[in-house]
Amino acid sequence: MRGKFVALCLGLAISQTTFASTTPESFTASADIIRDTYESQLYTLPAFKEGHYGLRMYRQTLDPKYSAAVWSDMARVASRLNKFAEEVHTPEQILLYSEKRVSSYSDDTDERSVRRYTVTKHMPEYLYLGVDLLGSMARANEYGLKHKEDEKLRQVIRRYDFEKYATDPEMIRAWAAQLANQVFWLRQLNEQDVVTPFINAFRKAYPDSQDKKLSKQQYGNKIYGLTHIIFADSEYYQHRVDEKEYQWIYDYFRSNIDTILLRAKEDVVAEVGISFLLAGLENDPVVEKTRQAIQKSIDKDKGMIPSVTGDFDVAYGEHRNVLAIMLLDWQSVNEAPTIKANPKVFSNLPYGLIAQ
């Protein structure tokens, strides 16, 4: 019932846009439409999607109702680290695991998958190290936890020079956003610090002067990479970002926002707006433009933003829709949840995880 009422309110607000500018209240109402859809089905989603949504909403609101979803994320992290510590840690085991992972890209013919398969088949261990191991260890670290065999897993990381992956231009063209995450995770874990070499290599791989020559996929990859530099520095909505530290990114977004709105997918557009919110720039015109674009993309009957192909699968669309909620109804950054500050969330740790 609440969803229908909110939809009615939003419809009235939108019908009046010719007479008045879009209001913060109408953005909040738009976020509520999506929130109603996702929170009525949250615990039917796969663990990764449930955790992705719940953790972001917890960090935004500190509402304990998301604790169960955070626990699902924690259990997923524990399961992955348990598997790696027990079954996938020798060079041979890592190679076999990685080759199986990279083969999953071989049958897809879209530009992104082709790029990923073509470059990663020459260094398949990247999928194990960067995509799987680092992300799980960093998430545990954010919670104030670590795996009981943390040192064993750190020794695995230290076998590899991550700069090899982070500065390779073809890797950047295939994995820009993921590499941005991973170099900051390495720094967060007090392991190798290759943030600056990555950013320098990223800027060389995607010079602004070449934007018009980029395919739509590659243009999106560039913008996605830029937003993830900001997101990763904030440790994913936990801390404010200093605009001056990334002035080149914010200046680029301001100069190119109209092109971004035309060429980028909704989740990337939302991330551009959130990048400004993370720097405390809520009144910047870029935020208003991204909010208006995202609001218009909501299908009010389905209660969500569809994919570019018109797909309304709730699980598949979780990423773009949770970002839309955050953009439209931004709350605040919070260093949470952690085992010290929010012990109730961690009252029953999954096997394998311990306090730091």
Side-chain angles (χ1 to χ4, degrees), residues 129-159:
L129 177 66
V131 177
D132 293 345
L133 178 60
L134 274 177
S136 299
M137 290 180 69
R139 180 61 55 78
N141 177 267
E142 289 166 15
Y143 290 145
L145 305 172
K146 64 181 180 180
H147 192 262
K148 61 188 179 71
E149 295 199 59
D150 180 68
E151 187 56 35
K152 180 179 183 178
L153 296 172
R154 286 176 179 270
Q155 289 298 331
V156 173
I157 291 175
R158 291 167 192 161
R159 288 185 214 146

Side-chain angles (χ1 to χ4, degrees), residues 270-321:
E271 290 195 356
V272 170
I274 293 170
S275 296
F276 282 78
L277 297 171
L278 283 167
L281 301 169
E282 188 156 349
N283 294 322
D284 194 286
V286 168
V287 175
E288 180 76 12
K289 285 189 172 186
T290 57
R291 281 175 167 165
Q292 289 180 357
I294 291 302
Q295 185 181 61
K296 288 176 184 174
S297 69
I298 299 170
D299 184 298
K300 291 183 285 297
D301 292 331
K302 298 287 188 179
M304 63 182 290
I305 299 171
S307 72
V308 292
T309 59
D311 187 282
F312 288 99
D313 184 279
V314 174
Y316 181 71
E318 180 273 330
H319 181 264
R320 84 181 79 90
N321 281 279

Side-chain angles (χ1 to χ4, degrees), residues 47-49 71-89 93-94 97 101 104-105 126-140 146-150 152-153 156 175 178 182 185 350-353:
F48 175 76
K49 301 286 187 177
W71 196 93
S72 291
D73 181 67
M74 189 168 41
R76 179 190 61 82
V77 167
S79 176
R80 178 165 281 178
L81 293 178
N82 288 339
K83 178 181 177 69
F84 292 161
E86 292 299 316
E87 302 173 18
V88 193
H89 53 84
Q93 289 168 338
I94 291 170
Y97 173 92
R101 285 275 279 110
S104 67
Y105 292 95
Y126 165 75
L127 289 174
Y128 166 86
L129 177 66
V131 177
D132 293 345
L133 178 60
L134 274 177
S136 299
M137 290 180 69
R139 180 61 55 78
K146 64 181 180 180
H147 192 262
K148 61 188 179 71
E149 295 199 59
D150 180 68
K152 180 179 183 178
L153 296 172
V156 173
W175 300 98
Q178 291 75 18
Q182 292 147 11
W185 287 337
Y351 174 78
L353 293 180

Side-chain angles (χ1 to χ4, degrees), residues 329-341:
D329 190 25
W330 180 256
Q331 302 296 308
S332 65
V333 293
N334 290 293
E335 192 173 329
T338 67
I339 192 168
K340 288 184 179 179

Side-chain angles (χ1 to χ4, degrees), residues 5 17 58 90 167 203 209 267 307:
F5 176 74
T17 54
Y58 193 107
T90 69
T167 60
R203 298 184 76 173
S209 61
D267 50 357
S307 72

Side-chain angles (χ1 to χ4, degrees), residues 157 160-163 166-167 180 182-199 246:
I157 291 175
Y160 302 92
D161 179 1
F162 205 81
E163 190 166 348
T167 60
Q182 292 147 11
V183 297
F184 278 93
W185 287 337
L186 273 171
R187 176 189 278 179
Q188 177 185 324
L189 293 168
N190 293 315
E191 294 295 337
Q192 191 179 1
D193 190 340
V194 291
V195 170
T196 299
F198 164 73
I199 289 176
Y246 299 104

